Amino acid sequence: MLDTSLLRKELDQIADLLKTRGFFLDSSKFEYLDSCRKNIQQETEILQSKRNHLARQVGQLKAKGLDVGDLIIESQVIPVALKNLEDKLSSLNKDINDFLYSIPNIPHKSVPIGLNSSDNTEIRRWLPNGVSINNEPNPFSFIPKDHVVLGESLGLDLDLASRMTGSRFSFMKGKIALLHRALSQFMLDLHTKNHGYEECYTPCIVNSNTLFGSGQLPKFKEDMFSVRQGEFKQNDNVDNNDSNDDQYLISTSEITLVSTVSGSIIPVDSLPIKLTACTPCFRSEAGSGGRDVRGLIRQHQFDKVELVQIVHPDFSYDALEEVLGHAELVLRSLNIPYRVVLLCSGDMGFCSSKTYDLEVWLPSQSNWREISSVSNCEAFQARRMKARFRDKNGNTSYLHTINGSGLAIGRTLVAILENYQQSDGSVIVPSVLRSYMGGMEIMEPSC
């Protein structure tokens, strides 16, 4: 949520910044709501002052033995009027919050202006041994197969998953299931032992308050699976006043990790807080149309290692670069070609002020595909969660939150299958994963 005091001071400037994100800020509506709030507060202050004045008058007249009947009658009306104003303000504050909840974060000054992915900026690319032939970052002497063909001979069964559940789910067994597990273990070990993150195990189901605080609701309600009374429901129609009994499957463990500081005041000496978790993630992908229906690129259920840092505002952009570097090291350790892309203003996520994407090279598509997003949300999530820190002078301020994929397991598996494939359909196991796979060096096709 944006700072309302900043909106009052710099409404036109913020509206212009939000236009670069393709968002129209209804400035007149905000001014109207804010004016109504001020009027109610002024009326309340006048009545409170009158109540206090009458109380003093009654006391003075009683001390003199004078009649105070008329003053008491007049004062008895005030509590009723104050209660009415309190109810009006409560209703108005809900309208104001609903309005504020719909506004995305403003882009950082370093973010390029643009409306879609074509306006993103490539920052750098990394290639194993710097090899690139005819713009192919990982050239093959044969026509490379895609990950579905490779995976099916190693234990990937999309048809079985489809019969069990529906499209965009996967069933893995044997070698590919072992590779999937090895990736999560390797990433968690790397981030906890080398990068100082604390490993967490989190719920996969959360209530609506948690989703509002982390910025998922109301914006992404249609992209989430809701769970009610044992029933599994997709795209359930629930308004913005969901109670704690309304529960949803998490779309990322960013939700649960940032929520560890919800409603808290953290001592400044406890910062930064660095958390990681590997969890299943569930997304209905309501707006994705027919893209990537085949294979593991876009699934309703997938595992992801998430990185979260909760930091002092002065250090949040340093932390953003650090998290990006931690995600990059996973890909370098796996020796997979990748590039870093700075997203333009119109392509960023709702909560983000600045986002980098990591994209890996997929030989079968001759294209780069996203495998991680790393974002600085500044105080946007913290303000919604009421998450603050207390400095050494006793003052409180909102925390900054940084999140990133470190990495998505399924997409990393895809990148390994395609970049490590051999002409006979076998797949070389990256050296850093072999100890997690019982020393296996090559995954031979079983059929």
Side-chain angles (χ1 to χ4, degrees):
M1 185 183 341
L2 296 182
D3 184 355
T4 51
S5 62
L6 187 63
L7 277 170
R8 294 182 192 114
K9 293 175 185 175
E10 302 179 14
L11 186 59
D12 292 339
Q13 296 93 314
I14 291 175
D16 288 341
L17 285 171
L18 291 171
K19 280 181 185 177
T20 70
R21 300 201 57 165
F23 182 86
F24 170 73
L25 178 64
D26 191 342
S27 300
S28 59
K29 181 175 181 179
F30 174 75
E31 289 174 328
Y32 170 74
L33 290 171
D34 200 42
S35 175
C36 291
R37 178 193 59 80
K38 288 178 183 176
N39 290 337
I40 292 174
Q41 288 179 334
Q42 287 171 356
E43 287 183 54
T44 299
E45 289 170 2
I46 290 169
L47 279 176
Q48 288 171 337
S49 178
K50 184 177 180 181
R51 178 191 59 193
N52 295 339
H53 176 69
L54 287 172
R56 286 194 297 270
Q57 279 188 303
V58 167
Q60 291 168 356
L61 292 174
K62 276 186 175 181
K64 298 177 181 179
L66 300 175
D67 180 48
V68 294
D70 291 341
L71 291 178
I72 289 176
I73 292 172
E74 185 178 356
S75 65
Q76 287 174 339
V77 178
I78 294 176
V80 177
L82 285 172
K83 181 63 170 64
N84 288 336
L85 288 172
E86 181 184 344
D87 293 342
K88 283 184 180 179
L89 184 60
S90 176
S91 176
L92 181 63
N93 281 335
K94 180 189 177 302
D95 292 339
I96 292 172
N97 283 333
D98 288 346
F99 177 79
L100 293 173
Y101 280 141
S102 70
I103 304 172
N105 207 348
I106 55 177
H108 188 260
K109 61 184 179 182
S110 63
V111 170
I113 303 302
L115 292 178
N116 53 53
S117 59
S118 63
D119 298 313
N120 295 341
T121 302
E122 182 176 325
I123 302 299
R124 59 181 171 272
R125 62 176 61 184
W126 184 86
L127 309 177
N129 304 315
V131 175
S132 178
I133 299 176
N134 297 326
N135 292 321
E136 291 280 335
N138 191 10
F140 286 88
S141 59
F142 57 90
I143 298 175
K145 302 179 178 69
D146 74 10
H147 73 276
V148 176
V149 173
L150 293 162
E152 285 175 342
S153 68
L154 298 172
L156 174 65
D157 196 332
L158 298 174
D159 291 336
L160 177 59
S162 181
R163 293 197 301 272
M164 287 179 172
T165 312
S167 63
R168 302 197 186 195
F169 290 88
S170 61
F171 190 102
M172 300 182 197
K173 57 187 175 184
K175 299 181 186 74
I176 198 166
L178 179 59
L179 175 62
H180 189 275
R181 174 162 60 89
L183 280 168
S184 63
Q185 290 178 295
F186 162 67
M187 292 180 196
L188 287 173
D189 281 349
L190 180 67
H191 297 314
T192 55
K193 295 176 181 178
N194 294 26
H195 300 150
Y197 291 85
E198 182 177 11
E199 184 175 347
C200 302
Y201 174 81
T202 87
C204 290
I205 298 176
V206 293
N207 59 45
S208 57
N209 286 344
T210 300
L211 293 170
F212 271 102
S214 59
Q216 306 301 309
L217 290 180
K219 174 69 174 176
F220 300 109
K221 184 173 69 174
E222 295 304 313
D223 290 333
M224 304 195 76
F225 290 104
S226 65
V227 181
R228 293 265 195 95
Q229 297 176 350
E231 295 180 355
F232 185 86
K233 297 181 180 181
Q234 180 179 345
N235 302 331
D236 207 359
N237 293 320
V238 181
D239 64 25
N240 293 350
N241 292 318
D242 293 351
S243 71
N244 283 341
D245 292 331
D246 295 319
Q247 297 177 321
Y248 297 79
L249 295 170
I250 60 171
S251 55
T252 167
S253 58
E254 169 202 340
I255 294 166
T256 45
L257 294 179
V258 300
S259 295
T260 57
V261 295
S262 178
S264 301
I265 300 178
I266 307 298
V268 70
D269 291 341
S270 298
L271 301 176
I273 297 170
K274 300 166 69 173
L275 305 174
T276 186
C278 182
T279 66
C281 304
F282 303 88
R283 299 182 186 179
S284 73
E285 302 285 2
S288 62
R291 293 180 297 165
D292 299 313
V293 173
R294 181 174 180 269
L296 302 175
I297 298 293
R298 196 177 295 274
Q299 294 264 286
H300 290 315
Q301 176 185 327
F302 59 96
D303 284 18
K304 179 158 64 79
V305 172
E306 186 71 9
L307 303 175
V308 162
Q309 291 200 25
I310 300 163
V311 304
H312 189 289
D314 291 349
F315 307 115
S316 66
Y317 280 94
D318 292 334
L320 175 67
E321 299 296 328
E322 182 178 76
V323 175
L324 175 63
H326 294 161
E328 284 187 76
L329 186 57
V330 176
L331 293 172
R332 292 193 185 204
S333 300
L334 293 170
N335 228 31
I336 295 173
Y338 73 88
R339 67 176 185 171
V340 179
V341 176
L342 175 60
L343 301 196
C344 70
S345 55
D347 200 33
M348 293 194 304
F350 181 77
C351 297
S352 177
S353 278
K354 184 175 182 177
T355 297
Y356 293 106
D357 271 4
L358 288 177
E359 298 178 349
V360 292
W361 180 255
L362 296 188
S364 71
Q365 300 181 12
S366 294
N367 201 6
W368 301 96
R369 297 303 302 264
E370 178 203 337
I371 198 169
S372 172
S373 282
V374 182
S375 300
N376 187 350
C377 299
E378 295 190 354
F380 191 84
Q381 290 176 315
R383 189 171 286 109
R384 295 169 74 116
M385 294 187 296
K386 296 179 175 57
R388 296 170 290 169
F389 70 96
R390 191 185 306 278
D391 65 24
K392 293 181 179 179
N393 296 320
N395 301 315
T396 60
S397 301
Y398 287 109
L399 294 156
H400 279 199
T401 57
I402 295 89
N403 68 81
S405 305
L407 305 161
I409 305 297
R411 292 192 181 191
T412 308
L413 186 149
V414 168
I416 289 173
L417 293 179
E418 296 210 3
N419 284 281
Y420 277 87
Q421 64 178 294
Q422 300 187 97
S423 59
D424 63 356
S426 63
V427 176
I428 297 172
V429 177
S431 58
V432 294
L433 298 181
R434 292 173 187 175
S435 63
Y436 296 93
M437 298 182 65
M440 186 184 299
E441 296 184 2
I442 296 178
M443 294 187 293
E444 300 283 357
S446 56
C447 57

PDB file of all heavy atoms in Angstrom, residues 148-170:
ATOM      1  N   VAL A 148       9.935 -32.210 -22.557  1.00  0.00           N
ATOM      2  CA  VAL A 148       8.881 -33.211 -22.405  1.00  0.00           C
ATOM      3  C   VAL A 148       9.344 -34.548 -22.976  1.00  0.00           C
ATOM      4  O   VAL A 148       9.215 -35.592 -22.327  1.00  0.00           O
ATOM      5  CB  VAL A 148       7.578 -32.740 -23.076  1.00  0.00           C
ATOM      6  CG1 VAL A 148       6.516 -33.843 -22.989  1.00  0.00           C
ATOM      7  CG2 VAL A 148       7.058 -31.468 -22.421  1.00  0.00           C
ATOM      8  N   VAL A 149       9.904 -34.522 -24.176  1.00  0.00           N
ATOM      9  CA  VAL A 149      10.402 -35.752 -24.794  1.00  0.00           C
ATOM     10  C   VAL A 149      11.515 -36.363 -23.949  1.00  0.00           C
ATOM     11  O   VAL A 149      11.529 -37.570 -23.676  1.00  0.00           O
ATOM     12  CB  VAL A 149      10.913 -35.456 -26.221  1.00  0.00           C
ATOM     13  CG1 VAL A 149      11.584 -36.697 -26.811  1.00  0.00           C
ATOM     14  CG2 VAL A 149       9.770 -34.993 -27.110  1.00  0.00           C
ATOM     15  N   LEU A 150      12.427 -35.534 -23.495  1.00  0.00           N
ATOM     16  CA  LEU A 150      13.518 -36.020 -22.651  1.00  0.00           C
ATOM     17  C   LEU A 150      12.996 -36.546 -21.323  1.00  0.00           C
ATOM     18  O   LEU A 150      13.413 -37.608 -20.843  1.00  0.00           O
ATOM     19  CB  LEU A 150      14.522 -34.888 -22.405  1.00  0.00           C
ATOM     20  CG  LEU A 150      15.306 -34.389 -23.621  1.00  0.00           C
ATOM     21  CD1 LEU A 150      15.912 -33.015 -23.338  1.00  0.00           C
ATOM     22  CD2 LEU A 150      16.392 -35.393 -23.997  1.00  0.00           C
ATOM     23  N   GLY A 151      12.075 -35.793 -20.721  1.00  0.00           N
ATOM     24  CA  GLY A 151      11.574 -36.153 -19.402  1.00  0.00           C
ATOM     25  C   GLY A 151      10.769 -37.425 -19.385  1.00  0.00           C
ATOM     26  O   GLY A 151      10.840 -38.211 -18.427  1.00  0.00           O
ATOM     27  N   GLU A 152       9.998 -37.663 -20.449  1.00  0.00           N
ATOM     28  CA  GLU A 152       9.146 -38.854 -20.476  1.00  0.00           C
ATOM     29  C   GLU A 152       9.975 -40.139 -20.435  1.00  0.00           C
ATOM     30  O   GLU A 152       9.518 -41.159 -19.896  1.00  0.00           O
ATOM     31  CB  GLU A 152       8.265 -38.828 -21.723  1.00  0.00           C
ATOM     32  CG  GLU A 152       7.117 -37.827 -21.604  1.00  0.00           C
ATOM     33  CD  GLU A 152       6.299 -37.697 -22.877  1.00  0.00           C
ATOM     34  OE1 GLU A 152       6.786 -38.102 -23.948  1.00  0.00           O
ATOM     35  OE2 GLU A 152       5.166 -37.173 -22.786  1.00  0.00           O
ATOM     36  N   SER A 153      11.184 -40.106 -20.979  1.00  0.00           N
ATOM     37  CA  SER A 153      12.028 -41.304 -20.947  1.00  0.00           C
ATOM     38  C   SER A 153      12.762 -41.451 -19.618  1.00  0.00           C
ATOM     39  O   SER A 153      13.434 -42.448 -19.387  1.00  0.00           O
ATOM     40  CB  SER A 153      13.048 -41.245 -22.091  1.00  0.00           C
ATOM     41  OG  SER A 153      13.986 -40.212 -21.880  1.00  0.00           O
ATOM     42  N   LEU A 154      12.605 -40.434 -18.745  1.00  0.00           N
ATOM     43  CA  LEU A 154      13.283 -40.458 -17.443  1.00  0.00           C
ATOM     44  C   LEU A 154      12.311 -40.531 -16.273  1.00  0.00           C
ATOM     45  O   LEU A 154      12.716 -40.464 -15.118  1.00  0.00           O
ATOM     46  CB  LEU A 154      14.158 -39.207 -17.292  1.00  0.00           C
ATOM     47  CG  LEU A 154      15.299 -39.056 -18.306  1.00  0.00           C
ATOM     48  CD1 LEU A 154      15.947 -37.681 -18.172  1.00  0.00           C
ATOM     49  CD2 LEU A 154      16.340 -40.151 -18.115  1.00  0.00           C
ATOM     50  N   GLY A 155      10.999 -40.652 -16.563  1.00  0.00           N
ATOM     51  CA  GLY A 155      10.024 -40.821 -15.491  1.00  0.00           C
ATOM     52  C   GLY A 155       8.985 -39.727 -15.374  1.00  0.00           C
ATOM     53  O   GLY A 155       8.178 -39.740 -14.442  1.00  0.00           O
ATOM     54  N   LEU A 156       8.958 -38.779 -16.300  1.00  0.00           N
ATOM     55  CA  LEU A 156       7.930 -37.735 -16.292  1.00  0.00           C
ATOM     56  C   LEU A 156       6.672 -38.281 -16.946  1.00  0.00           C
ATOM     57  O   LEU A 156       6.719 -38.781 -18.083  1.00  0.00           O
ATOM     58  CB  LEU A 156       8.426 -36.502 -17.045  1.00  0.00           C
ATOM     59  CG  LEU A 156       7.418 -35.362 -17.252  1.00  0.00           C
ATOM     60  CD1 LEU A 156       7.007 -34.747 -15.913  1.00  0.00           C
ATOM     61  CD2 LEU A 156       8.011 -34.284 -18.169  1.00  0.00           C
ATOM     62  N   ASP A 157       5.540 -38.193 -16.261  1.00  0.00           N
ATOM     63  CA  ASP A 157       4.278 -38.729 -16.793  1.00  0.00           C
ATOM     64  C   ASP A 157       3.193 -37.654 -16.681  1.00  0.00           C
ATOM     65  O   ASP A 157       2.526 -37.532 -15.653  1.00  0.00           O
ATOM     66  CB  ASP A 157       3.877 -39.987 -16.032  1.00  0.00           C
ATOM     67  CG  ASP A 157       2.813 -40.798 -16.774  1.00  0.00           C
ATOM     68  OD1 ASP A 157       2.040 -40.176 -17.529  1.00  0.00           O
ATOM     69  OD2 ASP A 157       2.756 -42.020 -16.576  1.00  0.00           O
ATOM     70  N   LEU A 158       3.046 -36.887 -17.739  1.00  0.00           N
ATOM     71  CA  LEU A 158       2.039 -35.816 -17.744  1.00  0.00           C
ATOM     72  C   LEU A 158       0.642 -36.373 -17.965  1.00  0.00           C
ATOM     73  O   LEU A 158      -0.339 -35.818 -17.454  1.00  0.00           O
ATOM     74  CB  LEU A 158       2.390 -34.790 -18.823  1.00  0.00           C
ATOM     75  CG  LEU A 158       3.722 -34.054 -18.640  1.00  0.00           C
ATOM     76  CD1 LEU A 158       4.027 -33.179 -19.840  1.00  0.00           C
ATOM     77  CD2 LEU A 158       3.689 -33.202 -17.372  1.00  0.00           C
ATOM     78  N   ASP A 159       0.535 -37.461 -18.726  1.00  0.00           N
ATOM     79  CA  ASP A 159      -0.781 -38.050 -18.976  1.00  0.00           C
ATOM     80  C   ASP A 159      -1.388 -38.600 -17.694  1.00  0.00           C
ATOM     81  O   ASP A 159      -2.591 -38.445 -17.441  1.00  0.00           O
ATOM     82  CB  ASP A 159      -0.676 -39.164 -20.023  1.00  0.00           C
ATOM     83  CG  ASP A 159      -0.353 -38.636 -21.409  1.00  0.00           C
ATOM     84  OD1 ASP A 159      -0.652 -37.445 -21.664  1.00  0.00           O
ATOM     85  OD2 ASP A 159       0.208 -39.397 -22.225  1.00  0.00           O
ATOM     86  N   LEU A 160      -0.579 -39.259 -16.875  1.00  0.00           N
ATOM     87  CA  LEU A 160      -1.075 -39.790 -15.604  1.00  0.00           C
ATOM     88  C   LEU A 160      -1.561 -38.655 -14.709  1.00  0.00           C
ATOM     89  O   LEU A 160      -2.637 -38.755 -14.093  1.00  0.00           O
ATOM     90  CB  LEU A 160       0.036 -40.581 -14.911  1.00  0.00           C
ATOM     91  CG  LEU A 160      -0.289 -41.149 -13.529  1.00  0.00           C
ATOM     92  CD1 LEU A 160      -1.490 -42.088 -13.592  1.00  0.00           C
ATOM     93  CD2 LEU A 160       0.934 -41.862 -12.944  1.00  0.00           C
ATOM     94  N   ALA A 161      -0.797 -37.571 -14.632  1.00  0.00           N
ATOM     95  CA  ALA A 161      -1.201 -36.428 -13.815  1.00  0.00           C
ATOM     96  C   ALA A 161      -2.497 -35.822 -14.338  1.00  0.00           C
ATOM     97  O   ALA A 161      -3.370 -35.430 -13.554  1.00  0.00           O
ATOM     98  CB  ALA A 161      -0.096 -35.376 -13.807  1.00  0.00           C
ATOM     99  N   SER A 162      -2.626 -35.776 -15.654  1.00  0.00           N
ATOM    100  CA  SER A 162      -3.841 -35.211 -16.246  1.00  0.00           C
ATOM    101  C   SER A 162      -5.064 -36.055 -15.910  1.00  0.00           C
ATOM    102  O   SER A 162      -6.142 -35.523 -15.623  1.00  0.00           O
ATOM    103  CB  SER A 162      -3.669 -35.105 -17.762  1.00  0.00           C
ATOM    104  OG  SER A 162      -4.817 -34.547 -18.350  1.00  0.00           O
ATOM    105  N   ARG A 163      -4.900 -37.382 -15.923  1.00  0.00           N
ATOM    106  CA  ARG A 163      -6.025 -38.255 -15.574  1.00  0.00           C
ATOM    107  C   ARG A 163      -6.383 -38.119 -14.102  1.00  0.00           C
ATOM    108  O   ARG A 163      -7.545 -38.203 -13.715  1.00  0.00           O
ATOM    109  CB  ARG A 163      -5.690 -39.714 -15.905  1.00  0.00           C
ATOM    110  CG  ARG A 163      -5.556 -40.008 -17.379  1.00  0.00           C
ATOM    111  CD  ARG A 163      -5.633 -41.498 -17.663  1.00  0.00           C
ATOM    112  NE  ARG A 163      -4.605 -42.266 -16.975  1.00  0.00           N
ATOM    113  CZ  ARG A 163      -3.390 -42.495 -17.466  1.00  0.00           C
ATOM    114  NH1 ARG A 163      -3.044 -41.981 -18.641  1.00  0.00           N
ATOM    115  NH2 ARG A 163      -2.516 -43.227 -16.788  1.00  0.00           N
ATOM    116  N   MET A 164      -5.382 -37.906 -13.263  1.00  0.00           N
ATOM    117  CA  MET A 164      -5.617 -37.778 -11.821  1.00  0.00           C
ATOM    118  C   MET A 164      -6.284 -36.456 -11.470  1.00  0.00           C
ATOM    119  O   MET A 164      -7.163 -36.400 -10.593  1.00  0.00           O
ATOM    120  CB  MET A 164      -4.292 -37.866 -11.070  1.00  0.00           C
ATOM    121  CG  MET A 164      -3.657 -39.223 -10.998  1.00  0.00           C
ATOM    122  SD  MET A 164      -2.100 -39.109 -10.085  1.00  0.00           S
ATOM    123  CE  MET A 164      -1.676 -40.843  -9.939  1.00  0.00           C
ATOM    124  N   THR A 165      -5.860 -35.399 -12.138  1.00  0.00           N
ATOM    125  CA  THR A 165      -6.251 -34.063 -11.692  1.00  0.00           C
ATOM    126  C   THR A 165      -6.773 -33.178 -12.819  1.00  0.00           C
ATOM    127  O   THR A 165      -7.798 -32.531 -12.701  1.00  0.00           O
ATOM    128  CB  THR A 165      -5.042 -33.350 -11.029  1.00  0.00           C
ATOM    129  OG1 THR A 165      -4.419 -34.221 -10.102  1.00  0.00           O
ATOM    130  CG2 THR A 165      -5.479 -32.078 -10.326  1.00  0.00           C
ATOM    131  N   GLY A 166      -6.034 -33.113 -13.917  1.00  0.00           N
ATOM    132  CA  GLY A 166      -6.359 -32.230 -15.023  1.00  0.00           C
ATOM    133  C   GLY A 166      -5.077 -31.727 -15.659  1.00  0.00           C
ATOM    134  O   GLY A 166      -3.976 -32.161 -15.308  1.00  0.00           O
ATOM    135  N   SER A 167      -5.210 -30.827 -16.588  1.00  0.00           N
ATOM    136  CA  SER A 167      -4.043 -30.309 -17.285  1.00  0.00           C
ATOM    137  C   SER A 167      -3.195 -29.438 -16.358  1.00  0.00           C
ATOM    138  O   SER A 167      -3.658 -28.925 -15.344  1.00  0.00           O
ATOM    139  CB  SER A 167      -4.469 -29.491 -18.509  1.00  0.00           C
ATOM    140  OG  SER A 167      -5.216 -28.354 -18.105  1.00  0.00           O
ATOM    141  N   ARG A 168      -1.929 -29.293 -16.728  1.00  0.00           N
ATOM    142  CA  ARG A 168      -0.955 -28.455 -16.023  1.00  0.00           C
ATOM    143  C   ARG A 168      -0.588 -28.991 -14.635  1.00  0.00           C
ATOM    144  O   ARG A 168      -0.339 -28.226 -13.701  1.00  0.00           O
ATOM    145  CB  ARG A 168      -1.429 -27.004 -15.935  1.00  0.00           C
ATOM    146  CG  ARG A 168      -1.686 -26.386 -17.305  1.00  0.00           C
ATOM    147  CD  ARG A 168      -1.743 -24.898 -17.238  1.00  0.00           C
ATOM    148  NE  ARG A 168      -2.137 -24.342 -18.528  1.00  0.00           N
ATOM    149  CZ  ARG A 168      -2.014 -23.077 -18.874  1.00  0.00           C
ATOM    150  NH1 ARG A 168      -1.494 -22.231 -18.023  1.00  0.00           N
ATOM    151  NH2 ARG A 168      -2.406 -22.648 -20.048  1.00  0.00           N
ATOM    152  N   PHE A 169      -0.580 -30.293 -14.516  1.00  0.00           N
ATOM    153  CA  PHE A 169      -0.027 -30.957 -13.340  1.00  0.00           C
ATOM    154  C   PHE A 169       0.950 -32.017 -13.842  1.00  0.00           C
ATOM    155  O   PHE A 169       0.863 -32.455 -14.993  1.00  0.00           O
ATOM    156  CB  PHE A 169      -1.108 -31.604 -12.479  1.00  0.00           C
ATOM    157  CG  PHE A 169      -1.978 -30.616 -11.756  1.00  0.00           C
ATOM    158  CD1 PHE A 169      -3.115 -30.107 -12.353  1.00  0.00           C
ATOM    159  CD2 PHE A 169      -1.645 -30.180 -10.474  1.00  0.00           C
ATOM    160  CE1 PHE A 169      -3.919 -29.187 -11.695  1.00  0.00           C
ATOM    161  CE2 PHE A 169      -2.443 -29.261  -9.806  1.00  0.00           C
ATOM    162  CZ  PHE A 169      -3.581 -28.764 -10.418  1.00  0.00           C
ATOM    163  N   SER A 170       1.880 -32.428 -12.986  1.00  0.00           N
ATOM    164  CA  SER A 170       2.873 -33.413 -13.413  1.00  0.00           C
ATOM    165  C   SER A 170       3.005 -34.520 -12.382  1.00  0.00           C
ATOM    166  O   SER A 170       2.781 -34.304 -11.188  1.00  0.00           O
ATOM    167  CB  SER A 170       4.239 -32.744 -13.631  1.00  0.00           C
ATOM    168  OG  SER A 170       4.709 -32.160 -12.434  1.00  0.00           O
TER     169      SER A 170
END
